[in-house]
Amino acid sequence: MREVPVQFAMVPAKGPQRGCSLCHREIACITFELHFHRIRFYLVCQSPSSFSFLFLFFRFRATQYTCMLLRYLLEPKPDKEKVVTKLKKLESSVSTGRKWFRLGNVVHAVQATQQSIHATDLVPRFCLTLANLNRVVYFICDTVLWVRSVGLTSGINKEKWRLWAARHYYYSLLLSLVRDLYEISLQMEQAAQDKAKRDRSLSQDPLGYSVADEETEWLQSFLLLLFRSLRKHPPLLLDTVKNLCDLLNPLDQLGIYKSNPGIIGLGGLVSSVAGIITVAWPHLKLKIH
């Protein structure tokens, strides 16, 4: 296997600084760890569907969005300029590190497309297949942007390709959310049928439960049914939360709904944590039926 040179951008500390020396040491340690995992990626992540690949990818992603969130929270404070500067550098380093997963992401999206084609239910098969195809196009656009950023070519319209990437990522998330809503509707329908059976079994009792109040308060009944359905199916809850949080970024890039870096960072962090959970505990990943 060809060794990949990695340049370490470790800046030596200039001595303890009051109030933020601990933050500087922590950021330096995280930076070193990120460079270590870049090398580890080539050693243990040759299979894009492996546990190591997905786990490292979500760790990089979680670190990047954590830096974005912390930077947004610390920017208004006048005595945190140096910490904010280091967070910006760390965020940029992590973003560059995530580019190392580009080929694996493309292959993983292609494999997911092949799996979704064989889904038995028509709606998930249609939504997931189109969603994964859009993800493939998104990663291709992202690769073109990377080629432009490293200077391999200069005849690429950066803004146009960035817009295309954001649009296809947006379409992919929308289709994934449609699939989630379809699954939620099935679970709510099943929960409503179970509740109706229980109500019929109690209808002979004059002191039994009555649903008259729930029928007048349809919104409360709907939310209660939704809560019960998601509580019984954690994989569906995790997948829905992840897709909703991921949607904030393309909405902002396309100008559909503008958000500040704090909201985007928080959404990205929650989405990354949800991804780590599904990788660490595979039974919490939403299955394709």
Side-chain angles (χ1 to χ4, degrees), residues 188-230:
M188 292 180 65
E189 182 180 359
Q190 183 63 42
Q193 292 176 357
D194 295 340
K195 183 178 181 300
K197 292 179 181 178
R198 292 195 302 268
D199 292 341
R200 284 195 298 268
S201 65
L202 297 174
S203 61
Q204 297 177 354
D205 187 357
L207 298 178
Y209 178 72
S210 174
V211 295
D213 293 336
E214 281 196 17
E215 290 177 354
T216 57
E217 300 293 337
W218 63 270
L219 180 59
Q220 179 181 358
S221 178
F222 173 82
L223 294 177
L224 182 61
L225 194 61
L226 176 63
F227 171 76
R228 290 175 177 174
S229 301
L230 292 177

Side-chain angles (χ1 to χ4, degrees), residues 4 19-20 29 36 74 91 93 117 146 153 162 192 210 214 271:
V4 180
C20 59
C29 292
F36 169 77
L74 294 177
E91 182 183 341
S93 176
I117 292 177
W146 175 79
T153 182
R162 181 176 296 174
S210 174
E214 281 196 17
S271 172

Side-chain angles (χ1 to χ4, degrees), residues 112-166:
T113 304
Q114 295 175 345
Q115 294 176 359
S116 61
I117 292 177
H118 300 289
T120 56
D121 200 328
L122 177 61
V123 175
R125 181 167 70 242
F126 175 79
C127 293
L128 291 179
T129 301
L130 288 183
N132 290 320
L133 288 175
N134 275 280
R135 287 184 67 85
V136 172
V137 178
Y138 160 70
F139 287 127
I140 292 175
C141 294
D142 188 58
T143 302
V144 173
L145 289 172
W146 175 79
V147 171
R148 170 68 171 79
S149 65
V150 298
L152 295 179
T153 182
S154 58
I156 294 177
N157 190 330
K158 185 176 180 180
E159 294 301 323
K160 180 179 69 175
W161 282 93
R162 181 176 296 174
L163 183 63
W164 285 351

Side-chain angles (χ1 to χ4, degrees), residues 12 25 45 72 77 80 88 90-91 96 136-137 140 180 190 202 217-219 222 227 229 233 242 251 257 260 262:
R25 288 196 296 270
C45 297
Y72 174 79
K77 300 182 179 181
K80 299 296 183 182
K88 288 181 179 179
L90 178 58
E91 182 183 341
T96 303
V136 172
V137 178
I140 292 175
D180 290 335
Q190 183 63 42
L202 297 174
E217 300 293 337
W218 63 270
L219 180 59
F222 173 82
F227 171 76
S229 301
H233 299 85
K242 182 179 181 301
L251 286 176
Y257 180 79
N260 58 57

Side-chain angles (χ1 to χ4, degrees), residues 69-83:
L69 177 60
L70 291 177
R71 180 167 56 85
Y72 174 79
L73 296 175
L74 294 177
E75 275 181 345
K77 300 182 179 181
D79 58 336
K80 299 296 183 182
E81 292 88 353
K82 293 183 178 180
V83 178

Side-chain angles (χ1 to χ4, degrees), residues 37-61:
H37 284 306
R38 287 188 192 181
I39 302 173
R40 186 182 174 195
F41 165 73
Y42 281 93
L43 297 178
V44 300
C45 297
Q46 297 302 315
S47 174
S49 60
S50 66
F51 171 87
S52 299
F53 174 85
L54 294 175
F55 188 72
L56 286 179
F57 173 76
F58 283 116
R59 284 189 64 181
F60 269 67
R61 194 171 184 268

